[in-house]
Amino acid sequence: MEYKSTLNMSKSGFPMRAGLPKREPEMLKHWEELDLYNELLKKNEGKPLFNLHDGPPFSNGALHMGHALNKSLKDFITRMYAMRGYYTPYIPGWDNHGMPIESAIIKQNKLNHKAMSVADFRTACHEFADHYIDVQREGFKRMGVVGDWDHPYKTMDPSFEAQEVRVFGKMYRNGHIYKGLKPVYWCAHDETALAEAEIEYKDVPCTTVYVKFPMNDDLGKLGHLDKSKLFFVIWTTTIWTLPGNLAIALHPDESYAVVKAPNGEMYIMAEALVEKVMKIGGFDSYEIVETHPGSFYENMLASHPFLPKTSRLVLADYVTMDSGTGCVHTAPGFGADDYETCKRYGMEMVVPVDDQGHHTDYAGKYAGMGTDESNPVILEDMKKAGSLFASEDIVHSYPHCWRCKNPIIFRATPQWFCSVDSFKDEAIAACEDVRWVPGWGKDRMRSMILERTDWCISRQRRWGLPIPVFYCKDCGKPICTEESIEAVASLFEKKGSNAWFDMEAEDILPSGFTCPHCGKQAGFEKETDTLDGWFDSGSTHFAAMERDQGFWPSTMYIEGLDQYRGWFQSSLLVAVGALGRGAPFKECVTHGWTVDGEGKAMHKSLGNGMDPAEIFDKYGADLLRLWAGSSDYHVDVRCSDEIFKQLSQNYLKFRNTCKFCLDNLVNFDPNDLVKPEDMLPLDKWAVTRLNNLIGKVFGWYDNYEFHSVSHAINDFCVVDLSSFYFDILKDRLYCDEADGPERRSAQTALYLILDALTRMFAPILAFTCDEVWLAMPHRAEDDGRNVLFNEMVQPYTEYALSEEEMAKWGRIAALRSAVNGALEQARADKVIGKSLEAAVDLTVPEEDAFLAEMDADEVADLFIVSQVRLTVGDQVKVAVEAAQGAKCGRCWKVLHSVKAVGEHEALCPRCAAVMAKLPKVE
C-alpha cells in the first residue's frame, strides 16, 4: 500500500521561491488600497508618541545607495516603534534650494543660467526639484517605506518659506545675526560662499615655499646687524596668497634666532626649527648670532618680497613649532586666524582676489590671473629676484567644493553671519539633554560648536530663500524689524519667494514704512544674497514639524556621520539661537557611508556603484532592506553583488523556516492552543529558546542594533530550528495522528514561533513578513489585514522550561552532535544508509543519566534513529549498528514491534493506531 497520502503533509500554498521583484509591487498596491499609513495611525491613536523627523535629502537626482540605507533605517525604527505600542507619524521631506539643485540642473539640462532672468531660472529650478521629488518618492515607496507620501514637506513651499523668514527674524532680533567682512570658504567656480559642511578634502600635489621678507624697520633694536642682509623667512603652501600678505605672525613666548648662513645672509626663524629649515635651504653649516623672544619683534616692519608695501610683525598664540619656520605668513583676506589677528592690530582689510578667483589690481602684475594660474608665475619671479629661500614639492590635503569638485579658497567678502559665540554656552548645554547613538556623538557635537565662532548664512545664489533684509537708500543701514519680517513672510505665504525678485522693496514693505535708523522714507533696496541651504534644513523642526504636526521637539533625528557639522548642528543652532529652546531632538542617531565591496567610495567614473532600482529588479526591495538590516551601520556599509548573493541565502533560510511552519499549520486553529501543562518538553524547549530570542531582540531594537536582530533571527532559524528542532519534529508532525495531542503540541509551538518571528522581523523584512502574515492563521484578537497593525509578542513565559531543564537540553544537543558524527561514519562505512536504519549504543557520563529515565523511543526520536540502548559510564561513547527488526511501511522506523496489521503488511504500533482512525478508502 502507498502510505504517502496518509501522512500529514499538507501544503499551505506559500511559495518557496519568493519572486520578490514581481510580488512586491502587487503588495504595494494592496497597501495603498488599505491606506496603510493612515490606518496605522488610527490603530495607534492615543498611544505614546514617537516622532522621527525626516532629514530632507536634496531633490537633485535619482536614488542612490546612501538614500536606500538612510530610508531603510528610518523605516525600521518607525515600524519597530509602531509594533511596540507607539503612535508614529512620519512626514518625509525634501531640501530644495541652493547649489546642489543649481549645479544639477545646469549640468543635466545644459542651462546657460547667466543668460536667463532670475525669475526664469528659479522657475526652472523649482520644476527640476519637483521632478526629482517625484522620482525619489516613487523609489522610497518601492522600498516599502511607510509615511505620509501625499503630504511631504518641501523647503521651497511658500508656507515653509514664510516660517523660515520668521525664524530669521527671531534670530536677528535676538542679536545673533550681523553682516561683516570676514574670510569664508569660497568656490570661484560657482561664485559663492560655502558652509563647512559643503567642503571635502582631497590629497593634491603642491609646491610649498620658504620666502625671504627683507627687514625694513627694526624699531632701532637691531642696529648692530647689517639690515640689508637680514630677512624674516615665512613658509606657505598657497603661493597665490602672497600678494595679500599684510603681516608675519610670531609666537610671543617662543625663542627666535638670527641665523647667519655662509652666504652672509641672516635669517630670522624659530630657534626650535632652525636645523630643519636650514637643511631644507641647503645649508650644512650656519651660526646662531643671537636669540630673542617673539615679543621682541612686535611691530617691526618687513618689506614684501615682490610688491611695493610692508608687512608688520605681529604676535599670535596659535603659532606652533611643528612645521614651517615659526614665522607665519598672514593674509587677512584669506584666513580666519589671519583676519582676527590683523583686526586686533587695527589693520586695513585687503581682498586681492575677485568672485571668479582672479587677482585684482592690488596684486600688481598678477592682476587678472586665476589663483592656480599665478602660482608658477609668482614662484618663478621670486626665484629670479632672489626672494626664494627654498621650495619643496609635496602632497597635502586641500579643501574642495563638494558639488563641482574644484579646489576652493578662503576669501574675505561681505557676508551675513550668525554669531555662534553669542549663544555658544546655551548650545553646548542643549547637547546634554540628548541621547546620542553612538555615545561619542555628544563629544563630537560639543567640540564642533566649541570650535565655531560664526556661521556664514549668506550665499551668492539665485535659487534660494532671499535674505529678508532691506537697506535704507539714505543712511545705508540694514533693516530687519518685526514689521518688515512679517510683511515678507505674509507675502511669501501668498505668492512664494519669487515675489522678492518680482517686486520693488517699497511694494513689499507696509505703506508709509520709514527707516528705523534715520526715520526717513528715502526709498529702500533689497538684499541680493540668499540664505544658506543649511539654514533652510535647520529650520524644518519649526517651519514644518511644529507647524504641520503640532509637536516639538522630535523624538529622533537620524542621518549620516557628516551631519554633525550639517543638519544636526544647524537644527540645534536654530532652535537655541532663534527659538531660545533646547535641542530639537531627544535622540540623535548616526550612520556611516555606503561603499563598495572593497570599502572604496562609489563613483560612476569608477564603475563600482550600485543602483537601488537595479537591486529592486534583480533581488527585490526586501533584500535591500535586509542588506541595511544586516549591516553595522555605525561604520561604513559595504555593498556589492556578492554581498547580495550571500544575503539571498540568509533570506531563503528565513523564508523556508516560515514555509515549514505554515505547511504544518494547515487547518490549525490558534484560538485553541494546547495548554502549557500539556505541551511536550521538546516543544517547550523551542518556545523557551524563542523567549530568549525575543528578550534579546527587544534590547537590540531599543539600541537600534538592527544587524544584531537580523543575525540572531538567522541563527535561530538555522541552528535552533532547522538543524535541531525541525529535524526532530518531522516524524511527529508527518506521522502522528493529525489532531493528536502530541502533534497539536508541536503545532502550538510552531504557531508561537511563526507568530513571534513574523512580528519581530517585520520592521526589516516588511514585504515578506506581511506575506507570511496574510498566509498564516490568526487568533481572534489579531488584526489580519497587515502585520504592522499588531504589536510584537512578549515572551511566552507560561510555556518556558526552567534553567535546570534547559541545561539538560543543552546536554542532549551536545550528545546529538556526538551521535550524528558516529552516524556519518557508519554511513561512510556502509553500515547504514539513512539514519532510521540505525540502532545506537550510547554510553553517557553520570551527569547525563537523566536520559536513562526517559522513554527509549523518545530518546531514539531525538537522535532520529530507530533504536537506542543507553548505559551510564565514565564518558560519552557511541556505537552504531544496523537496527534489527522490521521496517514500518509508513514511518520507515526499524522496530521489533513492526508487524502485519489487518490488510497492512508492516506497521509500527503508532502508525497502526493512526491508520485505524483514518477513513477507509474504498
Side-chain angles (χ1 to χ4, degrees):
M1 179 177 178
E2 174 59 56
Y3 290 105
K4 185 175 181 180
S5 62
T6 71
L7 299 176
N8 306 309
M9 298 185 72
S10 300
K11 298 298 181 184
S12 61
F14 186 80
M16 184 179 295
R17 294 181 63 85
L20 294 176
K22 182 179 179 181
R23 189 182 309 278
E24 287 171 344
E26 296 171 356
M27 297 187 71
L28 285 171
K29 185 177 180 182
H30 171 67
W31 291 355
E32 192 171 329
E33 292 169 352
L34 184 61
D35 195 10
L36 182 62
Y37 172 73
N38 289 310
E39 283 299 304
L40 178 63
L41 292 186
K42 288 179 186 176
K43 188 87 177 178
N44 291 339
E45 194 169 5
K47 294 179 180 179
L49 171 69
F50 180 90
N51 168 243
L52 191 158
H53 182 46
D54 191 33
F58 288 116
S59 53
N60 65 333
L63 251 60
H64 53 66
M65 293 302 288
H67 288 133
L69 175 64
N70 178 266
K71 279 295 193 288
S72 292
L73 294 174
K74 289 175 179 176
D75 199 48
F76 297 166
I77 292 168
T78 300
R79 286 172 176 264
M80 177 267 291
Y81 272 103
M83 296 185 71
R84 296 180 70 189
Y86 286 83
Y87 180 75
T88 54
Y90 175 65
I91 310 296
W94 274 274
D95 201 352
N96 309 123
H97 288 139
M99 191 167 66
I101 311 294
E102 286 196 22
S103 298
I105 190 174
I106 291 169
K107 182 177 180 180
Q108 292 184 35
N109 294 7
K110 303 189 185 322
L111 293 184
N112 182 2
H113 63 293
K114 293 184 178 180
M116 299 174 70
S117 69
V118 173
D120 286 346
F121 183 65
R122 285 175 61 88
T123 298
C125 287
H126 193 288
E127 292 172 353
F128 184 87
D130 251 342
H131 168 72
Y132 277 107
I133 286 175
D134 290 340
V135 169
Q136 292 183 14
R137 173 165 41 200
E138 289 309 305
F140 294 142
K141 289 167 72 174
R142 178 64 185 86
M143 285 172 56
V145 179
V146 176
D148 192 352
W149 296 109
D150 292 333
H151 306 96
Y153 76 82
K154 308 173 189 177
T155 62
M156 64 182 180
D157 277 349
S159 55
F160 185 101
E161 293 178 325
Q163 287 295 86
E164 187 179 346
V165 166
R166 295 182 177 105
V167 168
F168 179 92
K170 290 174 185 288
M171 191 172 275
Y172 193 99
R173 288 196 301 276
N174 291 342
H176 303 317
I177 290 178
Y178 70 95
K179 191 170 189 178
L181 181 68
K182 292 180 65 175
V184 296
Y185 291 114
W186 184 268
C187 178
H189 177 272
D190 292 314
E191 298 179 36
T192 186
L194 299 175
E196 186 180 356
E198 296 168 327
I199 300 301
E200 59 186 23
Y201 285 82
K202 297 179 183 178
D203 288 338
V204 294
C206 81
T207 300
T208 177
V209 292
Y210 295 77
V211 183
K212 298 185 296 186
F213 278 60
M215 176 67 79
N216 180 287
D217 182 355
D218 63 1
L219 301 179
K221 293 182 178 182
L222 297 171
H224 56 288
L225 300 176
D226 184 350
K227 194 169 67 173
S228 67
K229 295 182 178 180
L230 186 59
F231 304 88
F232 291 92
V233 181
I234 66 94
W235 171 76
T236 183
T237 59
T238 50
I239 298 173
W240 62 268
T241 63
L242 286 170
N245 176 278
L246 292 185
I248 299 172
L250 312 182
H251 193 286
D253 303 323
E254 291 288 346
S255 175
Y256 285 79
V258 177
V259 186
K260 187 173 183 178
N263 63 5
E265 291 185 342
M266 292 175 286
Y267 309 117
I268 300 171
M269 63 187 72
E271 186 177 5
L273 294 166
V274 167
E275 182 179 353
K276 176 183 175 184
V277 174
M278 293 303 285
K279 184 177 180 180
I280 292 172
F283 298 107
D284 295 325
S285 63
Y286 52 84
E287 175 191 356
I288 294 181
V289 177
E290 56 190 83
T291 61
H292 303 282
S295 57
F296 173 82
Y297 299 93
E298 186 176 20
N299 288 321
M300 290 185 183
L301 295 177
S303 295
H304 193 278
F306 54 82
L307 289 179
K309 62 176 184 173
T310 57
S311 183
R312 182 185 296 189
L313 274 294
V314 297
L315 304 179
D317 290 333
Y318 57 74
V319 176
T320 64
M321 299 296 117
D322 55 4
S323 63
T325 66
C327 301
V328 177
H329 157 52
T330 301
F334 300 128
D337 288 337
D338 304 36
Y339 167 81
E340 294 295 339
T341 298
C342 290
K343 181 180 176 183
R344 182 158 44 88
Y345 279 86
M347 299 170 70
E348 180 185 355
M349 177 62 65
V350 174
V351 189
V353 172
D354 65 17
D355 289 0
Q356 292 82 34
H358 295 115
H359 288 286
T360 64
D361 291 341
Y362 183 88
K365 65 175 286 188
Y366 311 108
M369 290 186 182
T371 53
D372 287 344
E373 180 187 0
S374 69
N375 280 336
V377 180
I378 295 174
L379 178 62
E380 187 60 31
D381 285 352
M382 289 193 297
K383 287 179 180 178
K384 291 178 180 178
S387 301
L388 191 67
F389 177 82
S391 65
E392 289 183 303
D393 290 327
I394 64 169
V395 174
H396 72 152
S397 181
Y398 192 81
H400 288 65
C401 173
W402 71 330
R403 286 293 158 189
C404 69
K405 307 303 179 183
N406 287 298
I408 58 96
I409 60 176
F410 259 108
R411 175 173 176 265
T413 58
Q415 301 286 345
W416 285 95
F417 296 91
C418 166
S419 172
V420 178
D421 266 345
S422 63
F423 58 93
K424 183 174 290 184
D425 291 344
E426 292 87 345
I428 292 295
C431 297
E432 298 298 324
D433 299 325
V434 176
R435 178 193 178 196
W436 301 89
V437 181
W440 48 256
K442 180 173 78 171
D443 290 338
R444 177 171 290 192
M445 180 62 82
R446 281 172 52 90
S447 66
M448 285 188 169
I449 295 173
L450 281 169
E451 292 168 4
R452 194 170 196 173
T453 56
D454 293 292
W455 168 16
C456 179
I457 59 172
S458 53
R459 294 292 180 271
Q460 292 64 51
R461 314 302 306 173
R462 294 179 170 190
W463 176 235
L465 186 71
I467 292 178
V469 170
F470 300 88
Y471 298 92
C472 175
K473 288 183 178 179
D474 186 77
C475 68
K477 291 182 179 180
I479 299 167
C480 182
T481 66
E482 287 191 49
E483 190 178 12
S484 69
I485 284 292
E486 194 51 42
V488 176
S490 298
L491 174 67
F492 287 4
E493 273 177 329
K494 296 173 184 175
K495 298 184 177 182
S497 59
N498 273 8
W500 182 266
F501 302 94
D502 296 336
M503 298 172 64
E504 297 298 325
E506 287 80 6
D507 297 327
I508 297 174
L509 291 165
S511 176
F513 186 84
T514 58
C515 174
H517 305 294
C518 65
K520 295 183 179 179
Q521 286 182 303
F524 304 94
E525 294 178 339
K526 298 170 293 182
E527 173 61 66
T528 57
D529 285 353
T530 56
L531 275 169
D532 174 19
W534 294 111
F535 200 95
D536 289 12
S537 57
S539 302
T540 60
H541 55 83
F542 177 77
M545 186 180 75
E546 186 171 38
R547 181 201 69 192
D548 297 336
Q549 297 175 266
F551 48 75
W552 196 101
S554 72
T555 313
M556 178 188 287
Y557 276 27
I558 173 172
E559 296 299 330
L561 291 168
D562 56 331
Q563 296 309 314
Y564 286 107
R565 60 176 184 163
W567 188 53
F568 298 156
Q569 188 176 153
S570 65
S571 297
L572 188 147
L573 294 179
V574 165
V576 176
L579 308 181
R581 304 176 185 176
F585 40 81
K586 297 176 183 177
E587 299 181 43
C588 185
V589 184
T590 52
H591 61 76
W593 304 99
T594 53
V595 295
D596 72 7
E598 297 179 358
K600 299 176 182 176
M602 293 188 290
H603 295 291
K604 287 183 180 179
S605 59
L606 297 177
N608 65 343
M610 294 197 76
D611 185 348
E614 292 179 3
I615 295 172
F616 298 155
D617 293 341
K618 185 174 182 179
Y619 296 104
D622 255 0
L623 262 293
L624 192 69
R625 296 174 68 96
L626 186 59
W627 161 75
S630 300
S631 305
D632 181 359
Y633 63 84
H634 297 308
V635 295
D636 288 347
V637 179
R638 299 190 178 202
C639 50
S640 68
D641 201 54
E642 286 303 313
I643 290 172
F644 277 94
K645 286 178 181 176
Q646 178 58 47
L647 285 171
S648 296
Q649 297 306 308
N650 292 359
Y651 171 82
L652 284 175
K653 289 169 185 174
F654 176 75
R655 187 175 185 90
N656 288 340
T657 297
C658 295
K659 179 172 173 56
F660 181 88
C661 293
L662 288 167
D663 287 348
N664 287 286
L665 288 172
V666 173
N667 298 324
F668 178 74
D669 183 4
N671 294 293
D672 187 23
L673 302 176
V674 300
K675 296 177 180 178
E677 59 268 24
D678 295 330
M679 181 174 278
L680 298 185
L682 174 62
D683 302 325
K684 285 188 174 182
W685 171 86
V687 175
T688 307
R689 292 293 295 163
L690 174 69
N691 290 344
N692 180 59
L693 176 66
I694 292 172
K696 289 181 177 179
V697 165
F698 282 9
W700 289 320
Y701 271 140
D702 286 341
N703 292 307
Y704 314 119
E705 300 292 340
F706 305 113
H707 66 291
S708 296
V709 173
S710 297
H711 294 313
I713 289 177
N714 182 70
D715 289 347
F716 179 71
C717 290
V718 174
V719 179
D720 288 341
L721 297 183
S722 180
S723 298
F724 188 79
Y725 182 56
F726 289 176
D727 205 26
I728 299 170
L729 204 60
K730 289 174 183 176
D731 177 75
R732 186 170 13 135
L733 286 169
Y734 300 159
C735 300
D736 271 21
E737 182 184 353
D739 293 325
E742 293 85 359
R743 187 169 185 272
R744 288 193 64 251
S745 172
Q747 286 182 302
T748 296
L750 289 179
Y751 174 78
L752 297 179
I753 290 168
L754 181 64
D755 189 48
L757 283 180
T758 303
R759 299 184 198 219
M760 271 194 295
F761 219 7
I764 296 173
L765 286 184
F767 292 96
T768 300
C769 287
D770 194 45
E771 182 188 358
V772 173
W773 187 258
L774 295 175
M776 66 184 286
H778 295 296
R779 286 173 281 195
E781 63 269 24
D782 296 340
D783 191 327
R785 295 176 298 165
N786 192 286
V787 66
L788 191 54
F789 296 155
N790 301 269
E791 291 191 19
M792 295 183 195
V793 298
Q794 297 296 322
Y796 303 106
T797 53
E798 66 276 18
Y799 287 97
L801 293 176
S802 66
E803 289 185 15
E804 182 181 355
E805 290 171 309
M806 288 300 289
K808 290 181 179 179
W809 280 97
R811 291 298 307 152
I812 291 172
L815 290 169
R816 192 167 182 271
S817 295
V819 171
N820 283 342
L823 289 172
E824 283 299 317
Q825 186 59 52
R827 191 175 290 113
D829 295 340
K830 308 296 184 182
V831 175
I832 61 169
K834 299 182 184 302
S835 64
L836 285 177
E837 297 173 12
V840 173
D841 286 297
L842 178 62
T843 302
V844 298
E846 188 64 39
E847 62 181 332
D848 297 332
F850 65 88
L851 279 169
E853 301 170 6
M854 295 174 62
D855 181 79
D857 290 340
E858 182 183 348
V859 175
D861 286 344
L862 293 176
F863 299 135
I864 317 179
V865 297
S866 290
Q867 301 165 28
V868 171
R869 292 181 291 271
L870 194 140
T871 57
V872 178
D874 296 331
Q875 60 184 6
V876 175
K877 295 178 183 177
V878 185
V880 178
E881 64 180 22
Q884 300 300 306
K887 178 181 178 181
C888 175
R890 186 167 178 270
C891 69
W892 296 2
K893 289 181 180 179
V894 179
L895 302 168
H896 292 291
S897 57
V898 171
K899 61 182 180 179
V901 181
E903 62 186 273
H904 307 290
E905 293 182 4
L907 288 179
C908 67
R910 187 264 310 264
C911 289
V914 172
M915 291 299 297
K917 293 183 179 181
L918 290 176
K920 291 187 183 281
V921 179
E922 298 296 335

